[in-house]
Amino acid sequence: MANVFVARSLDEIRFWARIMKEHSLFLRLGFRAEDTTLINEANQFYALFEAIENRAHQLPVDSDPQVILRFNTEVHTAVSLIWAFKRKVLGLILTCQLPGANNYPLLVDHTSREANYFRNRLEELNAGKLEPLPDAIIDENVFFLRIMADHAKFISHLLDPSERKLIDMANDFSHDFDTLLFQARDIDSMRPQSQTAPILGQFLDQNRVSVASLRDFKRTARDLINACKIKSIIHPLLADHVFREAERFLHIIDMFEQHLTGTPVSMRDLEEH
């Protein structure tokens, strides 16, 4: 079990440290020129998570579990700090202390929810108390379905108003994922009675179809943005960022289905994602 703990820990940190690093960049880009203190804080977080990401990639999957446990604790502290920073920024926006800045309140809240998710994962790993599969399936889907719904809304609002067709497509995805999220919350409120293999299997199948469709839309949008073929204020890195999160969700759904059907998950699967 020790090597599974190491592999899962490094997988979470390699993925989410990069996400936290990029959040720092996106927040910085949204601050006004005069917000020098906030800009400097964001730059410090960028450097901090870049260093964490680099260290995570240097550590092998056969590392001493005690080394990884200490690393998880160190990363947990860093994530708690960036979570507090994001909540501070959200408070400043909602009390109208950053007029003219370009960070949507929902986007800042979104990034703080991801930081809290990352922090909770590190706590669970170090405690060795991962959720039972039926609970994990529901909780992970509730979390990620909301993330996907947010992404669709961000894309819609960051496209140029003249990109009417793409905006309509993004709004359709927003509606689709809001509906899926409501359905997931219904299953949540019905547990434990709702946690049967047939219900959870159908739940995952339905979500996979929509996530795969959104993932493909994000990939197309990313490629069009990189080729300068559409009009938007979407940073190319943001386009890739949301694409990678959809890929992550699809991988999680696949892992859950493998467990539900009794298909073993190999160490290679953990190492490659």
Side-chain angles (χ1 to χ4, degrees):
M1 292 300 294
N3 56 354
V4 173
F5 164 73
V6 171
R8 288 182 175 175
S9 296
L10 292 178
D11 170 68
E12 295 287 345
I13 294 173
R14 288 167 181 171
F15 180 83
W16 288 107
R18 181 178 179 185
I19 295 296
M20 296 299 111
K21 178 183 73 173
E22 292 171 354
H23 284 170
S24 305
L25 172 63
F26 301 146
L27 291 173
R28 178 177 66 80
L29 293 174
F31 294 137
R32 304 166 302 176
E34 60 265 34
D35 299 324
T36 54
T37 299
L38 293 175
I39 290 170
N40 288 337
E41 286 185 81
N43 285 336
Q44 290 170 7
F45 279 118
Y46 185 96
L48 173 61
F49 282 98
E50 184 171 55
I52 289 171
E53 180 189 9
N54 290 338
R55 285 175 59 193
H57 281 288
Q58 291 167 1
L59 288 165
V61 291
D62 60 353
S63 295
D64 183 344
Q66 289 302 311
V67 170
I68 300 303
L69 189 146
R70 290 192 295 270
F71 186 37
N72 286 353
T73 301
E74 179 184 341
V75 176
H76 182 279
T77 299
V79 179
S80 296
L81 290 172
I82 198 171
W83 175 85
F85 174 67
K86 291 169 176 176
R87 300 308 291 183
K88 178 181 73 173
V89 171
L90 179 61
L92 292 172
I93 296 170
L94 293 179
T95 54
C96 301
Q97 296 182 62
L98 294 176
N102 291 311
N103 289 312
Y104 289 123
L106 182 62
L107 184 145
V108 180
D109 176 64
H110 172 101
T111 66
S112 75
R113 277 183 268 123
E114 293 188 343
N116 194 53
Y117 170 91
F118 184 18
R119 181 170 57 177
N120 288 340
R121 287 293 293 154
L122 292 169
E123 290 174 2
E124 291 170 353
L125 285 163
N126 272 12
K129 296 180 180 179
L130 298 182
E131 282 189 306
L133 180 64
D135 290 326
I137 288 174
I138 293 174
D139 290 341
E140 290 282 317
N141 277 270
V142 167
F143 172 79
F144 273 102
L145 288 170
R146 186 178 181 190
I147 294 299
M148 297 298 110
D150 288 350
H151 286 172
K153 293 172 177 64
F154 299 149
I155 292 169
S156 172
H157 286 78
L158 294 173
L159 287 164
D160 187 79
S162 67
E163 294 285 2
R164 292 172 175 82
K165 184 63 176 177
L166 288 174
I167 290 172
D168 285 345
M169 293 173 68
N171 287 337
D172 286 344
F173 278 117
S174 174
H175 175 74
D176 184 25
F177 278 91
D178 282 345
T179 300
L180 290 172
L181 177 59
F182 283 130
Q183 290 183 179
R185 286 174 172 165
D186 289 339
I187 292 177
D188 181 6
S189 68
M190 293 178 190
R191 63 175 150 181
Q193 288 79 7
S194 62
Q195 292 172 312
T196 68
I199 289 175
L200 293 179
Q202 169 63 14
F203 178 55
L204 292 173
D205 286 342
Q206 186 176 46
N207 290 345
R208 178 197 282 105
V209 172
S210 291
V211 177
S213 182
L214 178 60
R215 184 272 315 272
D216 293 344
F217 172 73
K218 289 175 175 179
R219 178 166 49 204
T220 299
R222 178 199 63 187
D223 294 345
L224 290 172
I225 288 168
N226 286 334
C228 201
K229 290 183 177 181
I230 61 174
K231 303 176 292 296
S232 78
I233 56 171
I234 300 174
H235 193 290
L237 183 59
L238 177 59
D240 186 62
H241 178 100
V242 298
F243 167 75
R244 278 182 271 117
E245 290 190 2
E247 285 270 83
R248 181 78 173 185
F249 189 13
L250 280 173
H251 170 64
I252 289 170
I253 289 174
D254 287 342
M255 296 281 280
F256 282 146
E257 288 212 324
Q258 288 176 340
H259 281 293
L260 270 182
T261 59
T263 305
V265 180
S266 69
M267 286 301 299
R268 182 178 178 183
D269 289 332
L270 294 171
E271 292 168 16
E272 290 179 348
H273 294 84

